[in-house]
């Protein structure tokens, strides 16, 4: 029974994403992606987001940070860990894992979000997710 208790107390990827999004009401969607597979693995969203939209968000992250294993990137800084993209209706924030560069957070926010505060919370969230359950 004690082993079951330990499993129940572990923080999941979904828990981490939900916690980050709930701490920032201006954040509409947070997605955890893997650049090497070009896939969104988990999402937390205020409303259901079509898979095609999530796929495009992941492709945008690939275009910013480059494909793992290639030199293709729009970024002048190959070691960049953060990118902010302004659109007419939203602010997209992309973060890359420091220890696991294939791990990405893709976030869609209202333009009114406090970007600095969000980044201060989002990067440690991604780092915990990248390190796995023992880090939580």
């Amino acid at each position: 029974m004690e082993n079951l208790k330990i499993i129940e107390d572990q923080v999941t990827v979904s828990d981490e994403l939900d916690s980050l999004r709930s701490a920032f009401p201006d954040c509409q969607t947070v997605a955890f992606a893997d650049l090497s597979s070009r896939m969104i693995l988990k999402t937390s969203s205020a409303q259901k987001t079509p898979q095609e939209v999530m796929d495009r968000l992941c492709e945008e992250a690939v275009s910013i940070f480059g494909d793992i294993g290639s030199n293709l990137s729009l970024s002048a800084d190959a070691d960049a860990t953060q990118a902010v993209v302004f659109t007419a209706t939203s602010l997209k924030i992309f973060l890359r894992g420091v220890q696991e560069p294939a791990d990405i957070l893709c976030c869609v926010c209202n333009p009114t979000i406090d970007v600095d505060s969000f980044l201060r919370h989002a990067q440690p969230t991604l780092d915990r997710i990248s390190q796995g359950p023992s880090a939580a």
Side-chain angles (χ1 to χ4, degrees), residues 35-104:
L35 278 185
S36 62
S37 65
R38 295 177 170 232
M39 290 180 60
I40 299 286
L41 303 175
K42 285 283 185 189
T43 62
S44 175
S45 189
Q47 57 189 359
K48 181 138 176 66
T49 306
Q51 186 61 46
E52 299 81 27
V53 172
M54 299 310 298
D55 292 343
R56 282 193 304 270
L57 193 62
C58 188
E59 285 304 315
E60 194 168 352
V62 170
S63 73
I64 291 168
F65 293 119
D67 197 358
I68 297 299
S70 80
N71 292 326
L72 299 175
S73 175
L74 295 179
S75 174
D77 182 358
D79 295 325
T81 58
Q82 301 172 348
V84 179
V85 178
F86 295 89
T87 71
T89 59
S90 68
L91 187 78
K92 297 177 186 174
I93 301 172
F94 299 92
L95 296 103
R96 181 167 57 182
V98 176
Q99 298 299 319
E100 296 292 336
D103 291 351
I104 301 290

